[in-house]
């Protein structure tokens, strides 16, 4: 059974619209993250959460808003979508936040295409 | 900020030949935590190797890497490539700044293709 679920797997949106990317983890972890991978760019850290509290935000745009309704959920709301937002968005989790040596477990990703 | 540079693009090898994927990093912090993640097509990326100990070899699933802080390197090696090793490999550095931040900085990834 998948331990980190991301929905949807593929998403096509029009410029200017708003979408929510869903992430649920069933590993019992307390820390969750969002990463983005745009074409020909490395995986790029976006946010980290610990016990549903935002710990770090490396995303310049306020159009990206994480939402944590439950400890094992970390959704990503993206407003006013632009073609440059097209990327694969990965959710990840780790047992605790703040451990530099800790393994992060990744979900399968949501591939977003903005037309 | 931190950065990771790895063998870019595509590496194609014949089965049975040795694998060497380069990774170097830059960080202002003395403690460096290095990782290799592997990403198979249609799967999630997962941790292959990690190390924070200088000059100590770490191994897993036939792959090995040694963190050399003097040269800021963490190259991934395997003695004999297998077809099943075909995947995207990421080198990553964990940032430490007194515990106030914790994130992985990834290299651009190396797509390894092993042919018969």
């Amino acid at each position: 059974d998948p331990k980190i679920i991301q929905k949807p797997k593929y998403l096509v949106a029009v410029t200017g619209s708003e979408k929510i990317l869903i992430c649920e983890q069933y590993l019992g972890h307390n820390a969750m993250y969002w990463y983005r991978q745009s074409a020909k760019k490395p995986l790029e850290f976006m946010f980290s959460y610990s016990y549903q509290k935002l710990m770090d935000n490396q995303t310049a745009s306020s159009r990206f808003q994480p939402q944590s309704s439950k400890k094992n959920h970390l959704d990503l709301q993206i407003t006013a979508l632009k073609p440059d937002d097209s990327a694969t968005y990965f959710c990840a989790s780790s047992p605790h936040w703040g451990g530099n040596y800790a393994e992060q477990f990744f979900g399968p990703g949501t591939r977003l295409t903005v037309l | 900020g931190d950065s990771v540079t790895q063998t870019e693009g595509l590496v194609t090898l014949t089965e049975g030949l040795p694998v060497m994927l380069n990774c170097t990093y830059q960080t202002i912090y003395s403690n460096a935590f290095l990782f290799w993640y592997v990403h198979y097509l249609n799967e999630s990326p997962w941790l292959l190797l990690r190390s924070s100990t200088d000059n100590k070899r770490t191994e897993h699933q036939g792959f090995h890497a040694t963190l050399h802080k003097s040269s800021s390197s963490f190259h991934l090696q395997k003695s004999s490539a297998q077809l099943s090793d075909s995947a995207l490999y990421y080198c990553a550095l964990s940032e430490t700044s007194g515990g106030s931040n914790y994130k992985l900085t990834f290299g651009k990834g190396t797509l390894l293709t092993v042919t018969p």
Side-chain angles (χ1 to χ4, degrees):
Chain A
D1 291 336
K3 301 299 185 184
I4 300 182
I5 297 172
Q6 289 191 244
K7 293 183 285 190
K9 188 174 177 66
Y10 301 100
L11 185 57
V12 179
V14 297
T15 298
S17 66
E18 171 183 315
K19 293 293 180 186
I20 296 180
L21 281 54
I22 305 294
C23 176
E24 305 169 10
Q25 58 91 4
Y26 295 94
L27 295 165
H29 290 170
N30 297 317
M32 296 185 71
Y33 314 86
W34 276 104
Y35 289 84
R36 170 174 55 193
Q37 185 176 34
S38 306
K40 299 187 179 181
K41 290 186 178 180
L43 276 163
E44 178 187 20
F45 172 86
M46 299 179 73
F47 300 97
S48 63
Y49 266 67
S50 176
Y51 291 97
Q52 297 183 263
K53 177 185 172 184
L54 177 66
M55 302 305 291
D56 193 7
N57 177 357
Q58 297 287 325
T59 303
S61 174
S62 60
R63 296 187 298 107
F64 294 84
Q65 290 292 326
Q67 300 170 342
S68 182
S69 59
K70 298 179 186 178
K71 179 185 154 186
N72 68 324
H73 284 224
L74 186 63
D75 300 335
L76 182 64
Q77 180 185 39
I78 314 175
T79 58
L81 279 161
K82 303 177 180 180
D84 279 350
D85 297 331
S86 298
T88 299
Y89 291 81
F90 288 96
C91 176
S93 70
S94 64
H96 302 285
W97 181 87
N100 277 295
Y101 204 55
E103 177 179 358
Q104 289 189 20
F105 294 80
F106 285 79
T110 291
R111 183 177 290 182
L112 172 66
T113 302
V114 183
L115 304 175
Chain B
D2 293 352
S3 67
V4 175
T5 302
Q6 57 179 116
T7 304
E8 279 193 35
L10 176 65
V11 171
T12 303
L13 287 173
T14 301
E15 188 178 17
L17 290 180
V19 178
M20 173 82 156
L21 304 183
N22 290 336
C23 173
T24 57
Y25 63 92
Q26 285 186 309
T27 180
I28 62 173
Y29 303 106
S30 59
N31 283 340
F33 298 82
L34 273 295
F35 303 78
W36 276 101
Y37 277 81
V38 59
H39 190 188
Y40 290 98
L41 186 64
N42 295 324
E43 294 185 11
S44 307
W46 52 272
L47 179 65
L48 178 61
L49 291 172
R50 57 182 162 178
S51 182
S52 64
T53 306
D54 198 12
N55 298 317
K56 182 179 178 182
R57 174 172 162 146
T58 182
E59 300 187 37
H60 186 59
Q61 299 202 346
F63 287 89
H64 63 91
T66 303
L67 177 60
H68 292 296
K69 292 187 178 181
S70 60
S71 58
S72 300
S73 67
F74 190 56
H75 305 320
L76 182 66
Q77 299 181 67
K78 187 177 184 182
S79 59
S80 176
Q82 297 177 295
L83 296 175
S84 58
D85 294 332
S86 297
L88 185 57
Y89 291 82
Y90 291 103
C91 184
L93 168 69
S94 180
E95 175 182 329
T96 175
S97 57
S100 62
N101 285 314
Y102 167 46
K103 68 182 180 76
L104 289 174
T105 298
F106 284 87
K108 291 187 175 181
T110 304
L111 182 60
L112 176 64
T113 301
V114 181
T115 60

